[in-house]
Amino acid sequence: PSGQCTDSEFIRRAYLDTTGTLPSVNEVKEFLLSGDKDKRQKLVERLLASESYVDYWAYKWSDLLLLSDNKATAGNKKLNPAAVRSFYSWIRTSVQENKPWDKMVRELLTSTGSSRDNGALNFYQIHKDPIRLTENTTVAFMGLRLTCARCHNHPLEKWTQVDYYKMANLFARVRQKAGDSPGEIVVVNAVSGNIDHPRLNKPLPPAPLDGKEISLESLQERRQILAEWLTSPQNQSFSRTIVNRVWASFMGRGLADPVDDIRSTNPPSNELLMN
């Protein structure tokens, strides 16, 4: 194992890892001259309470959720400046409040109403259809690239095309309409609507991956079922993905790498540590 780092190494690493910036010369001098035996712990607490920490992790979440006003990519919609500000405000406030990651994801996946009042709803404006919602949700929160299973059974994983369209059907009843102000949308849950399996030419009972099916006729709110399954303590895919993303942020490389490609054929470098 590596030995303990020096104070000058510690302050540099602490700043980079928590704020993405370097300490000032005066901050370094003050830290190095301090004789306080708890100065490292106090530095960490001060950095975690700083606005710079909030900015840095809000940036990381924005990147994960594809927040951008530059251009539409891979079938995802470009947001106008008002929508970008609204979405970013929700992300930054969530980080500032130290909102638990599972709660943040549940809000993102189950919200309804106006995007002007709830910036999380811009997630649905970026991803316009059940296909994009399914693929980007599984990548972001399960580290799983499910795209292959859209057209055929996944060649590197157990997921089939049937699994894919059962999962996609959980997003099939999300509806959007334009709001009153520029960039605003209103998201509602419909009581009907399904997405067909392209080869079977019929909808399949909605179900999370490896989760319990619900009837096509059921009026249960499908996104609520998805969110509860995804963030359940029993769903190791979610917790392992979050752990892996945090590890990669601090260590420069995930235990499973790339961080958005966790699968049985790409195991963690240290399974015991991941567990």
Side-chain angles (χ1 to χ4, degrees):
S2 301
Q4 188 177 45
C5 65
T6 64
D7 282 347
S8 59
E9 289 170 330
F10 183 86
I11 187 172
R12 182 178 188 276
R13 293 174 184 175
Y15 265 84
L16 285 172
D17 284 342
T18 56
T19 69
T21 61
L22 290 168
S24 69
V25 172
N26 288 337
E27 286 170 325
V28 173
K29 287 180 177 178
E30 181 181 348
F31 185 75
L32 296 181
L33 292 173
S34 172
D36 187 343
K37 63 182 178 61
D38 295 324
K39 65 181 181 181
R40 294 192 179 194
Q41 180 67 30
K42 290 177 179 177
L43 173 65
V44 169
E45 296 301 330
R46 180 166 62 81
L47 289 173
L48 292 177
S50 69
E51 290 295 303
S52 296
Y53 168 79
V54 176
D55 289 339
Y56 189 49
W57 281 86
Y59 166 80
K60 286 181 175 291
W61 266 100
S62 298
D63 189 47
L64 179 64
L65 298 176
L66 306 180
L67 174 57
S68 174
D69 62 354
N70 291 332
K71 59 182 178 179
T73 57
N76 298 320
K77 187 180 185 301
K78 173 183 174 180
L79 295 179
N80 77 5
V84 169
R85 287 192 297 271
S86 175
F87 200 4
Y88 178 77
S89 177
W90 176 80
I91 293 170
R92 193 181 190 284
T93 299
S94 297
V95 175
Q96 191 169 38
E97 294 175 351
N98 201 26
K99 188 179 295 179
W101 287 43
D102 57 340
K103 181 179 179 182
M104 191 172 175
V105 172
R106 284 197 298 271
E107 287 183 11
L108 187 76
L109 293 180
T110 62
S111 292
T112 57
S114 167
S115 62
R116 182 177 55 189
D117 302 324
N118 183 353
L121 291 166
N122 288 289
F123 181 69
Y124 294 95
Q125 189 166 189
I126 293 174
H127 311 104
K128 276 290 189 181
D129 59 68
I131 296 298
R132 301 298 172 191
L133 285 165
T134 299
E135 293 179 3
N136 288 323
T137 296
T138 52
V139 165
F141 307 125
M142 296 179 67
L144 174 63
R145 298 178 182 178
L146 199 61
T147 305
C148 285
R150 188 199 309 174
C151 302
H152 49 74
N153 295 342
H154 202 298
L156 300 174
E157 265 289 5
K158 66 179 182 180
W159 311 117
T160 66
Q161 192 179 28
V162 167
D163 294 325
Y164 181 102
Y165 282 94
K166 285 183 177 181
M167 178 80 170
N169 220 359
L170 290 167
F171 284 114
R173 294 184 177 179
V174 183
R175 298 289 185 272
Q176 298 180 35
K177 61 180 181 180
D180 296 329
S181 56
E184 179 191 2
I185 60 165
V186 177
V187 175
V188 297
N189 295 317
V191 296
S192 63
N194 293 296
I195 182 171
D196 288 344
H197 186 291
R199 294 185 181 178
L200 301 177
N201 292 318
K202 66 178 183 179
L204 301 176
L209 299 176
D210 272 348
K212 186 179 179 180
E213 292 181 358
I214 63 170
S215 166
L216 285 167
E217 288 72 37
S218 172
L219 296 180
Q220 287 180 276
E221 213 294 285
R222 295 181 180 183
R223 286 188 297 150
Q224 188 68 43
I225 292 170
L226 171 62
E228 290 175 0
W229 164 83
L230 179 63
T231 60
S232 166
Q234 284 70 50
N235 187 348
Q236 289 194 352
S237 292
F238 179 76
S239 55
R240 286 164 70 91
T241 297
I242 298 301
V243 163
N244 199 47
R245 289 190 182 281
V246 174
W247 184 275
S249 177
F250 284 100
M251 301 299 175
R253 179 184 176 91
L255 289 166
D257 189 77
V259 292
D260 59 353
D261 192 20
I262 301 177
R263 48 186 160 82
S264 58
T265 49
N266 182 34
S269 57
N270 190 323
E271 185 68 37
L272 288 175
L273 181 57
M274 174 73 95
N275 289 336

